[in-house]
């Protein structure tokens, strides 16, 4: 429950920024002046990334100081661990990479405001379908830095350390189910608000923009078939990768087991992995982002946001699945993508449930 509350609190300022950005675009499109609201939008944006940049810079400075002062490192370690030996062993690997962690936080955070400049967005508009005058599009491209920060955080700490820390905690299945639904519902609602629901678009218009429709029997069949096909493609990819000596990463397997392993032991858990991720991620990526960012860029973001895989074979697998889902979005709609994504996750979950020795 505590983790879910924290997730909601972290999303709250992001919701506020996209809501204000949509209000600014609404006034601009109606012929009014949007400078005040746009200025307020960018001000909140600067506060969010400014805090991130300051935290990252502080960590970076502390890391540099600790390299020349052993006592400082020990004092900082005692402060974080509370003096416990086991906690110290878990935190020490993180402290060793504190400089990279700080850099990976402040550098992308400091770069994010650059996308608020119209000149920068004019150049981006040559690559992706954005309107450089739009406050919503300005915020959308700058928020890509959140994905970058998420990845650099994972790489800085290291998959091995994250796996160790994750194995040390034992959340209940109920807590995992609740947390996953909360996260994915926030993704979906964020996408809805981001494309103008509550400000520029009514409910029906928002659903139409996102490509969320009542699927026909044919679309359901295509979605399920695409999900099953994607499973086959990834299995073949893993077989080929292992044949050439690029197998699955042991730390990724350990981390995945800690994060979602308990859910794979029950049917409700497997259904949650399929339905929650299908609804949340597809509404955000294929529904909201792909019409503006395009197939390749959206698929890349989709892969990178799964930072628990680092840069491994699993990341490539997610990227390929993202491409398949993106092509499905172009040919059909987001609802079909939701079905395909859910079918893919549920199928993999059922394989792990019925044949645990294969995983």
């Amino acid at each position: 429950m505590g983790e879910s509350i924290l997730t909601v609190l972290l999303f709250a300022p992001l919701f506020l920024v996209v809501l204000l950005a949509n209000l600014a675009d609404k006034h601009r499109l109606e012929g009014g002046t949007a400078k005040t609201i746009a200025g307020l939008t960018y001000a909140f944006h600067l506060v969010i990334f400014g805090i991130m940049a300051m935290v990252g810079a502080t960590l970076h400075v502390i890391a540099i100081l600790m390299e020349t002062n052993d006592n400082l490192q020990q004092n900082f370690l005692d402060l974080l661990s509370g003096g416990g030996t086991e906690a110290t062993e878990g935190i020490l690997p993180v402290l060793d990479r504190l400089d990279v962690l700080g850099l990976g936080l402040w550098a992308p955070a400091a770069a994010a405001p650059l996308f608020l400049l119209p000149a920068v967005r004019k150049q981006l508009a040559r690559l992706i379908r954005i309107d450089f005058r739009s406050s919503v599009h300005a915020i959308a491209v700058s928020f890509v830095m959140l994905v970058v920060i998420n990845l650099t955080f994972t790489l800085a700490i290291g998959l091995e350390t994250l796996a160790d820390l994750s194995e040390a905690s034992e959340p209940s299945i109920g807590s995992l189910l609740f947390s996953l639904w909360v996260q994915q519902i926030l993704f979906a609602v964020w996408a809805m608000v981001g494309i103008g629901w509550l400000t520029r678009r009514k409910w029906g218009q928002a659903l139409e923009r996102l490509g969320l429709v009542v699927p026909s029997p044919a679309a359901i069949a295509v979605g399920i078939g695409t999900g099953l096909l994607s499973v086959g493609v990834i299995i073949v990819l893993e077989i080929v990768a292992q044949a050439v000596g690029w197998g699955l990463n042991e730390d990724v397997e350990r981390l995945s087991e800690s994060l979602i392993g308990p859910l794979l032991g029950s049917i409700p858990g497997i259904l949650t992995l399929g339905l929650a991720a299908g609804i949340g991620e597809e509404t955000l990526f294929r529904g909201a982002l792909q019409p503006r960012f395009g197939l390749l860029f959206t698929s890349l973001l989709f892969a990178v946001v799964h930072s628990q895989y680092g840069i491994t074979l699993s990341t490539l697998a997610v990227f390929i699945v993202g491409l398949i889902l993106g092509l499905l979005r172009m040919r059909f709609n987001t609802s079909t993508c939701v079905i395909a994504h859910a079918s893919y996750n549920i199928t993999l979950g059922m394989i792990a449930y019925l044949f645990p020795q294969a995983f």
Side-chain angles (χ1 to χ4, degrees), residues 53-310:
M54 286 189 292
V55 171
T58 300
L59 294 177
H60 201 171
V61 170
I62 290 174
I64 294 173
L65 293 175
M66 286 194 303
E67 291 180 0
T68 58
N69 190 327
D70 293 337
N71 290 332
L72 178 61
Q73 178 174 350
Q74 187 59 49
N75 292 336
F76 193 60
L77 186 61
D78 291 339
L79 176 64
L80 293 177
S81 65
T85 303
E86 293 184 2
T88 298
E89 293 177 354
I91 295 173
L92 191 56
V94 178
L95 286 185
D96 291 338
R97 305 184 185 98
L98 197 61
D99 55 341
V100 181
L101 180 61
L103 177 63
L105 181 56
W106 73 255
L114 294 176
F115 296 104
L116 302 183
L117 301 175
V120 174
R121 298 201 302 279
K122 279 184 179 181
Q123 298 303 315
L124 281 177
R126 298 181 178 182
L127 303 174
I128 56 179
R129 294 178 57 189
I130 63 170
D131 180 357
F132 74 91
R133 298 164 298 181
S134 169
S135 296
V136 173
H137 294 177
I139 294 302
V141 294
S142 70
F143 274 176
V144 170
M145 289 297 104
L146 294 175
V147 180
V148 175
I149 289 171
N150 190 42
L151 178 62
T152 56
F153 179 86
T154 299
L155 296 178
I157 293 180
L159 293 175
E160 181 179 2
T161 301
L162 284 174
D164 291 340
L165 294 173
S166 183
E167 287 175 346
S169 62
E170 297 182 359
S172 65
I173 295 179
S175 175
L176 287 173
L177 288 172
F178 186 72
S179 296
L180 185 56
W181 274 111
V182 168
Q183 181 191 64
Q184 296 301 328
I185 289 174
L186 286 173
F187 272 176
V189 177
W190 194 30
M192 291 286 293
V193 175
I195 57 90
W197 178 54
L198 301 178
T199 49
R200 297 183 294 119
R201 288 185 169 99
K202 296 181 180 179
W203 176 256
Q205 295 172 322
L207 293 179
E208 181 180 0
R209 160 63 179 82
L210 290 171
L212 293 173
V213 300
V214 177
S216 65
I220 294 174
V222 169
I224 294 174
T226 302
L228 296 176
L229 175 64
S230 300
V231 171
V233 169
I234 297 309
I235 291 176
V236 170
L237 172 66
E238 292 181 358
I239 292 174
V240 172
Q242 290 179 1
V244 299
W246 188 22
L248 295 175
N249 186 287
E250 181 180 345
D251 293 323
V252 169
E253 293 183 344
R254 289 172 55 213
L255 186 55
S256 297
E257 175 63 27
S258 299
L259 295 175
I260 66 173
L263 298 179
L264 297 177
S266 68
I267 299 302
I270 292 171
L271 292 177
T272 291
L273 284 172
L275 297 174
I279 294 171
E281 293 180 359
E282 291 311 303
T283 301
L284 178 60
F285 287 96
R286 252 61 63 180
L289 296 183
Q290 183 169 309
R292 295 292 172 262
F293 285 178
L295 174 63
L296 290 177
F297 190 32
T298 302
S299 300
L300 180 61
L301 285 177
F302 179 65
V304 172
V305 83
H306 291 80
S307 61
Q308 70 270 24
Y309 298 139

